[in-house]
């Protein structure tokens, strides 16, 4: 029986025995992995998601350092064009000094912004349209998704993929490619989905997804305190997952298949 089929069998049975590994034993690299990084540096693996068979997000890990926010002091009139978008105010035109189109207004004069409103409840666009409020310090950056937003997007993504398929019984999206990242998805026999967002140039993601599945089988399913389909809160799972991601990035290609 192959390692993949063996892991699938253990998941289907929900076997809780033999949880964990002996002290000092970590994730073993797959055959063909080396310690030397790829020429030109390792590519980034941005984040990992685990979605249960009902479409609920049960685990999420950000594996990258977010870009630094940019804060500038402006005089009137503001030389950026701002527009409301998805309950927040974003830059629509006028990139400069690290501020990019799509960046959201995160803070004004050091006070955090709540969506489209300042800390004291004023509309951001109205506040910035009043010359009496200048000079003003504005912090811009990428909008941080809340846990609820991540849950909603994860459920929506796979629902849309299944609905758009011309074939009945589609399991949803396997890969989604953009100019800045690729979304890779691996669905197990029991319906659990493992999702990795990575740099488009990162190779070996198929093998990495199956390695994450093995870690899930070894450190979540065998944990006697873990309930199936529920959020994963297991220190050993976290540690071994992070180690696997680091090995994948340092080794370049994680293995055949991507």
């Amino acid at each position: 029986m192959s390692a993949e089929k063996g892991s699938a069998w253990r998941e289907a049975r929900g076997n809780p025995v033999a949880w964990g590994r002996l002290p000092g034993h970590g994730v073993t690299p797959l055959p063909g992995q080396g310690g030397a990084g790829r020429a030109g540096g390792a590519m980034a693996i941005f984040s990992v998601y685990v979605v249960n068979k009902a479409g609920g997000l049960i685990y999420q890990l950000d594996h990258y350092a977010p870009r630094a926010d940019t804060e500038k002091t402006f005089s009137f009139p503001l030389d950026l064009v701002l527009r409301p978008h998805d309950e927040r105010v974003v830059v629509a035109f006028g990139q400069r000094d690290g501020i990019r189109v799509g960046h959201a207004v995160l803070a004004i004069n050091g006070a955090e912004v709540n969506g489209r409103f300042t800390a004291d409840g004023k509309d951001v666009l109205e506040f910035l349209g009043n010359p009496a409020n200048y000079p003003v310090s504005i912090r811009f950056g990428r909008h941080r998704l809340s846990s609820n937003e991540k849950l909603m997007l994860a459920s929506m993504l796979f629902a849309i993929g299944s609905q758009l398929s011309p074939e009945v019984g589609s399991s949803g999206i396997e890969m989604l490619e953009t100019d800045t990242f690729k979304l890779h998805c691996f669905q197990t026999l029991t319906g659990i989905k493992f999702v990795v967002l990575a740099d488009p140039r990162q190779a070996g993601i198929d093998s990495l997804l199956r390695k994450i599945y093995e870690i899930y089988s070894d450190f979540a399913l065998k944990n006697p305190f873990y309930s199936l389909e529920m959020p994963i809160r297991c220190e050993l799972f976290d540690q071994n997952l992070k180690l696997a991601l680091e090995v994948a990035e340092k080794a370049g290609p994680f293995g055949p298949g991507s």
Side-chain angles (χ1 to χ4, degrees), residues 29-253:
L30 295 174
Q33 291 177 329
R38 188 190 320 170
M43 296 297 103
I45 297 171
F46 304 139
S47 53
V48 176
Y49 297 83
V50 181
V51 181
N52 64 21
K53 61 184 179 183
L57 183 65
I58 59 175
Y59 185 85
Q60 188 266 329
L61 171 70
D62 288 327
H63 184 64
Y64 66 98
R67 295 175 180 174
D69 299 335
T70 302
E71 186 164 3
K72 299 289 182 182
T73 299
F74 297 87
S75 56
F76 188 83
L78 192 65
D79 57 354
L80 298 171
V81 178
L82 304 179
R83 293 281 187 271
H85 178 73
D86 288 344
E87 299 302 320
R88 52 187 172 270
V89 177
V90 302
V91 178
F93 181 78
Q95 296 188 156
R96 54 163 289 188
D97 301 328
I99 302 170
R100 300 182 178 277
V101 170
H103 278 187
V105 176
L106 302 179
I108 295 177
N109 293 329
E112 297 292 326
V113 166
N114 300 315
R116 293 180 55 181
F117 298 94
T118 63
D120 54 1
K122 298 178 182 178
D123 185 277
V124 168
L125 293 177
E126 291 182 6
F127 181 89
L128 296 178
N130 185 350
N133 295 323
Y134 287 78
V136 62
S137 175
I138 308 175
R139 177 157 53 90
F140 294 90
R142 185 182 175 202
H143 171 66
R144 281 84 165 173
L145 295 177
S146 67
S147 297
N148 288 336
E149 287 174 320
K150 291 175 181 177
L151 176 62
M152 179 187 67
L153 289 174
S155 301
M156 185 186 306
L157 175 67
F158 295 106
I160 291 175
S162 299
Q163 292 296 323
L164 289 178
S165 172
E167 299 293 334
V168 177
S170 169
S171 61
I173 295 172
E174 291 186 0
M175 188 181 76
L176 176 66
E177 184 173 359
T178 75
D179 58 342
T180 56
F181 73 92
K182 279 186 181 180
L183 180 151
H184 305 258
C185 177
F186 170 63
Q187 178 170 312
T188 71
L189 298 176
T190 55
I192 298 291
K193 297 181 178 69
F194 298 90
V195 181
V196 168
L197 271 63
D199 186 289
R201 296 165 291 178
Q202 177 69 43
I205 299 297
D206 285 349
S207 296
L208 173 60
L209 284 166
R210 285 163 174 77
K211 188 65 180 178
I212 296 173
Y213 179 26
E214 291 180 16
I215 294 170
Y216 168 77
S217 299
D218 287 341
F219 297 102
L221 291 181
K222 293 178 183 178
N223 183 344
F225 302 104
Y226 175 67
S227 300
L228 292 176
E229 304 292 315
M230 298 302 291
I232 301 171
R233 297 185 178 92
C234 175
E235 184 177 352
L236 285 175
F237 178 82
D238 290 334
Q239 292 174 353
N240 284 271
L241 174 59
K242 291 175 183 177
L243 179 59
L245 299 183
E246 291 171 3
V247 169
E249 289 181 326
K250 291 179 181 177

